[in-house]
Structure formats: structure tokens, C-alpha cells
Amino acid sequence: MTATTAKPTGPIPAAFVGQTPELHIAGRRAADWAAAGTPVFVYDPAIVAGRVARFRTAFPDIDLHYAIKANPLPDWLAAIAPMMDGLDVASAGELACALAVKPAAAISFAGPGKRDDELLVAIVGGVTLNLESEGEADRALAIADTQGVRPRLAVRVNPDIELRGSGMRMGGRPSPFGIDAARVPALVRRLVAAGADWRGFHVYAGSQALSAEAVAETQGATVALAARLAEAAGAAPPLVNLGGGFGVPYFAGDAPLDIDAVGARLADALAARPAILADSRFAIELGRWLVAEAGVYLARVVDRKESGGETFLIVDGGLHHQLAASGNFGTVVRRNYPLAVADRVGAAAEEVVSVVGPLCTPLDRLGDRVTLPRAEIGDLVAIFLAGAYGATASPAAFLGHPPAREVVAR
Ligand SMILES: Cc1ncc(COP(=O)(O)O)c(C=O)c1O
């Protein structure tokens, strides 16, 4: 047998560094959070409050929108929505969650393929639609007409730029998202002529970017693009939603995005913005940057086994709850999220193990050859960065295991 080579894990988020001997979440022992059953996601709103405070310092004049797809749990939304200026939703289901915690005027609805019934709910409710195509614009105008309401309509632009260095690029190429920039001025003129309440532009160029230079460059280009489109349309946008894409360090070698540097660069770009944007407001919409670090997924060790000289810790959670940590949600190369044995976070690493779930697929691997203190059956494994794209971005029904519990710390 060959000795098992360890693979690195991502950096444990700052809020949990240095805790010993046990992991605490929101001031309570992980074991207490897990007592009512595992697997469980525990979310701490205080960590989001810290992120929001950092955002406000770096971007004092910019609105902060939360893209609720990152974590739309109703209790969670109730806890964190008051910290946000707006919420962005991607379906009528998300819209219902958002309307429970925010006024319609602070909600925008983006995403291709909005059905007529979704457009209707948004229009009648006074929510801003970020239009994804001319066809969608036609349907929205017709629905508004039949309802006798003035629709709040913004145009999502497929920019002729892309967010360099982002984990997921959504601009600068043929795309199902947004309307090609060259066709946007004509559409804006049409919306204004039809009497719609035109709310401005939405530009979303990518996600999970850690380079301040790349984000700042994209934001600067977005401001310039918005000005060009507004001039060509002959209409000043009330709001320019600059998108987001702020990443978090999931993997070994990742460093946090320097948002102060991004904020300084954006302030410069806005100070020099063309006159047509003089009265526009600007917004940044963020998902994972706000909430990923606020969540921890706790799973209990059910079995320990050896095979071919390797040790496997088999836990009661897996990719059916935390697909992203298994490397199967939008990552090309599988790498390890930060994880720890919750009862012994301060202890020295003793062994190389793979942490796997109960599903009958080799993809169900939450930690691949990670170095941990020895964990026994009954111990808890904590997987960090579980606050975004966890429960709702995972195939919970796969193989019929129960859903994970989700609790919001109060
Ligand atoms: C339009 C839009 N807004 C916001 C987000 C949130 O991205 P993130 O969680 O990376 O901030 C996405 C992600 O796909 C998106 O498509």
C-alpha cells in the first residue's frame, strides 16, 4: 500500500479561527446545535451584519442588494433582509419569500424564461422586472396593459465585457442572460414610449471573483457602458445595478477579495461619470459574499472504515445537502472546502481521511484526503462556507435521505 497523500483544505473563515477545543457557532457549541439532529446547517446573522458593515464602509454611496438565490430560507431572510437595501429574486417562488420581508419597490426579479404568471405577479405587485429579452418585454407590457398598471421595468444588459477571473462568466459572449448591449437603446426607447416606469439597467458579468483588479475593471466598464446606452437611448437610468460577483475564499491558496480597493476604484469611476448618470443611483447585488461564511454544515460520523490503505469517515450528510462542497456545483477541478472535527478544532492533525456521505456515488465526497484530528463514530464534522448555495442548490430528494435541518442563530 502507498502512503496516502494529503490534499489541502480551504481556509477556515475568520469568525471560526482560533476556537479551541470545540467549535462554536454564534457563541454556542456545535454539539448543542447538532443535539436535535444531524445533518444541520447553522446560520449566524451576526456574521452577515459584519459583512454588511464592511460593505458600507467600502461603498458608502452604493445600494446593497442581496441575491436571495444564495440562501432563500424564510427565517434567514427575515433575519438579514433588514440589513439590505434591496433583494434580487429569480423566480415567483423566491419572489414570494422576498415579499414577506421587503416592500415590492425594493425587489427586482431577474432571470431568463419568466413565465406569464410570474410576470403577472411581479407587475401587479409593483416589483421591478429585469427584462431578459425583447420578447419578455412585449409580454410584460401586454400583461401590464390588461391589468391597467404601469410596470416597473429595467433592462438586463448582456454586456460586451466579461468579469475576468470569475468562477462563472455571464457576459461578453452569446448568452441566455440579458439583451445584447447593441440592441438595448432601442428597447429602452420603446419601454419609455409605451409609458412603462423604466427603472434602469442591470448588468451581471460573472460570479466568484477574488481579484480586486478584475472586479474594479468590470465595474468601471459597466459604468461606462451604462452611460453609452443611456445616451444612445436618450434616457437617464434611475438605477444602474452593477452586478456583483464578489467571491469568497473556498480553497487552499484563495485570498479574500480586497473590497476596500474595489470601493476606492468605484468611487473614482463614479466621481468621473458622464453627466447622463449624474442623478442615477448605483447598486451592487451579492449572494455568496454576504452569506457563505455565515453558515456551517454539521454532519455526524456514522462509520469509519479502511480500504486500500485509506481511511474513510462516513457521515450522515453529503452532496444531497451540500453539493457545492462535493465539488459538483460549477467547479471544474474538485478541491476541498475548509472542514474540521467540531469537537476537536484546536487539536493537532493526526490522520489523512476522506469524508464521504451515504450516497451510492463516488461523487459524494465532502473532504478528499484531508488531514484531521482523529474522529470517531458519533463525532461531528463541520463544513464551513455552507451559508450560500447549500440546501437549495443540492439534490435533496436524491436517494431518499431526509433533508438537512436548517437553523438560524438568534
Ligand atoms: C443575476 C445574478 N445575480 C446575483 C447572483 C449571485 O451571485 P453570487 O452568489 O456569486 O454573488 C447570480 C449568480 O448566479 C446571478 O446570476
Side-chain angles (χ1 to χ4, degrees), residues 32 50 90 114 131 143 178 183 211 230 278 293 321 371 394:
D32 292 337
K114 298 182 199 75
L131 298 170
I143 288 168
R183 302 207 306 270
S211 157
E293 295 192 8
H321 303 147
T371 313
S394 304

Side-chain angles (χ1 to χ4, degrees), residues 7 24 32 37 43 61 75 82 85-86 106 121 123 136 159 166 168 190 197 241 282 305 317 382:
K7 293 189 173 172
H24 285 65
D32 292 337
Y43 307 125
D61 299 320
D75 276 1
D85 302 309
V121 176
I123 289 168
E136 191 172 277
S166 64
M168 180 177 71
R190 192 147 70 78
D197 181 3
N241 181 331
F282 293 83
K305 64 187 274 189

